[in-house]
Amino acid sequence: MNESLAKTLYSYLLQQQRLPIPGLGMVLIDRVPAQKDSAEKKLNPPAFKFRLDQYLDAPDTDFFHFLAQEQGIPEHEAMQRYNQWSFDLRNSMQVDQPMPLGAYAHFIKKSNGELIFETERPINPFFSRVPAERVTSRALHSDEPLAPA
């Protein structure tokens, strides 16, 4: 696959949180909100996860305009390159062999024809857990420090 096209598609996916792949579906990015871990008194950071919707695969109206502008080519050529990429992706899938989609995810085609989409690691691994301690109203209205120094 053309490395420049791969970077452009990944950029589009991160910006629009969706990437249509004709014949396979729409790769979406879902946001999982921060969650409290009461047992360890920590707040887990928000997370982002890939998901494949096999029933949607039509590009947005500005998709090919974005590709053309980023690649510095006419829209009809961007459309041709993208359709060729998606055709090659679908046809190169082997049964039970992972087909990478960037550094974060891959497709697996099962022997019954079912398509599985799996993520390999979180999209935003640089967020960390933070302490989550309850602040009482007494502490808010006194001169006591809120957290031990």
Side-chain angles (χ1 to χ4, degrees), residues 3-75:
E3 190 69 29
S4 174
L5 179 61
K7 286 181 181 179
T8 302
L9 293 174
Y10 189 67
S11 173
Y12 183 85
L13 173 61
L14 293 179
Q15 290 177 38
Q16 302 298 319
Q17 299 181 348
R18 60 182 50 230
L19 177 65
I21 304 175
L24 293 178
M26 180 87 67
V27 177
L28 302 163
I29 297 178
D30 291 334
R31 183 178 184 278
V32 179
Q35 296 177 349
K36 182 175 75 171
D37 182 351
S38 298
E40 293 190 30
K41 294 185 178 180
K42 298 276 185 181
L43 186 64
N44 295 324
F48 300 89
K49 296 183 179 180
F50 286 113
R51 176 174 59 93
L52 178 68
D53 185 335
Q54 293 181 316
Y55 301 104
L56 298 174
D57 66 357
D60 295 334
T61 54
D62 295 331
F63 177 70
F64 292 112
H65 178 74
F66 175 86
L67 284 180
Q69 189 174 24
E70 291 293 312
Q71 297 280 297
I73 57 176
E75 279 191 45

Side-chain angles (χ1 to χ4, degrees), residues 80-144:
Q80 288 174 336
R81 285 186 189 182
Y82 180 69
N83 286 333
Q84 186 62 48
W85 171 80
S86 103
F87 179 79
D88 292 344
L89 178 66
R90 286 190 317 269
N91 288 336
S92 61
M93 286 188 187
Q94 303 285 324
V95 173
D96 293 329
Q97 296 294 317
M99 172 59 71
L101 181 67
Y104 292 101
H106 60 266
F107 292 99
I108 297 178
K109 185 178 186 178
K110 295 296 182 183
S111 58
N112 64 358
E114 180 185 9
L115 187 65
I116 307 292
F117 183 73
E118 297 177 337
T119 57
E120 297 174 6
R121 59 184 175 169
I123 298 173
N124 249 348
F126 47 82
F127 289 128
S128 60
R129 299 173 72 190
V130 295
E133 300 207 10
R134 184 180 300 258
V135 177
T136 63
S137 61
R138 184 183 65 79
L140 285 174
H141 297 296
S142 71
D143 292 334
E144 300 175 22

